[in-house]
Amino acid sequence: MEDYKKPIFVVMGVCGVGKTSVARALATCLPATYVEADDFHPADNIEAMGRGHPLTDEMRRPWLNDLSQAIVDLSKQEATPAVVVACSALKRSYRDIIRSHVPQACFIFLSGPKALIRERMLSRQDHFMPLELLDSQLETLQPPSSDELHINVDVSGAKTEIIDQILHQIISKNAA
């Protein structure tokens, strides 16, 4: 059964903003199926990032296509009420690839002060993304523009406050 009307939420932003923890919590609250975009990276991409090398657009394109196809496949499953994805989606062109597969995708843009993000990255353990890539991610970042379906969320507060902000904005957008 194809159902492209199912809600698809892509929690996006630079490394260290809390995409994974926020997306997991949001998926539990909605309820929805959670997808970690990092799981779709080929080994070469993870190895490059682990060495502190930013990914090129050419390296990202197959990853984003594979991720997008997985979202489509999940959305076709009757047992899937919605999908929440943790994915950096830093550039508009990356979001366009996702939207080309799932046009209803709403991007939840997590952002905050660089010092806070840096502090969070320093406290993480067992993550392949080194602190050295934060600057390149901030340089690459193209925040969603007004013609993209998105929600802006500041990550300076506690995770419960962040989730409450997101849920409030989702409800507000659906009521409009």
Side-chain angles (χ1 to χ4, degrees):
M1 173 181 109
E2 287 191 32
D3 186 356
Y4 292 106
K5 302 296 182 205
K6 289 182 180 176
I8 309 293
F9 299 101
V10 180
V11 179
M12 63 163 287
V14 298
C15 53
V17 292
K19 292 182 297 291
T20 297
S21 63
V22 168
R24 282 185 176 146
L26 181 61
T28 299
C29 289
L30 286 176
T33 300
Y34 169 74
V35 175
E36 175 55 59
D38 287 343
D39 293 344
F40 293 85
H41 274 299
D44 290 349
N45 285 11
I46 292 174
E47 187 178 305
M49 289 183 285
R51 290 191 318 262
H53 298 293
L55 298 181
T56 64
D57 288 355
E58 294 74 31
M59 295 169 86
R60 289 179 191 270
R61 196 168 293 112
W63 163 65
L64 289 165
N65 280 314
D66 289 348
L67 169 65
S68 299
Q69 187 57 54
I71 296 168
V72 168
D73 293 345
L74 273 172
S75 72
K76 291 179 181 179
Q77 295 178 13
E78 270 188 60
T80 303
V83 179
V84 175
V85 183
C87 178
S88 54
L90 297 175
K91 286 185 176 180
R92 179 172 185 130
S93 61
Y94 306 160
R95 297 187 296 274
D96 287 345
I97 291 171
I98 295 169
R99 272 193 301 272
S100 73
H101 291 80
V102 282
Q104 79 277 25
C106 177
F107 292 85
I108 300 171
F109 176 44
L110 303 182
S111 62
K114 181 179 176 181
L116 173 65
I117 296 168
R118 184 179 189 288
E119 179 183 311
R120 288 181 179 178
M121 287 185 74
L122 288 171
S123 68
R124 294 195 306 195
Q125 296 177 351
D126 300 325
H127 197 279
F128 63 85
M129 185 71 82
L131 181 62
E132 298 84 50
L133 288 181
L134 177 57
D135 285 336
S136 74
Q137 289 222 331
L138 288 167
E139 289 169 14
T140 301
L141 177 64
Q142 297 171 346
S145 36
S146 60
D147 65 331
E148 295 179 85
L149 180 58
H150 74 283
I151 294 170
N152 290 325
V153 180
D154 184 309
V155 297
S156 297
K159 185 167 53 173
T160 55
E161 295 170 331
I162 294 166
I163 297 301
D164 286 347
Q165 284 182 58
I166 293 169
L167 292 172
H168 176 75
Q169 290 190 58
I170 288 171
I171 291 166
S172 296
K173 283 192 182 295
N174 284 336

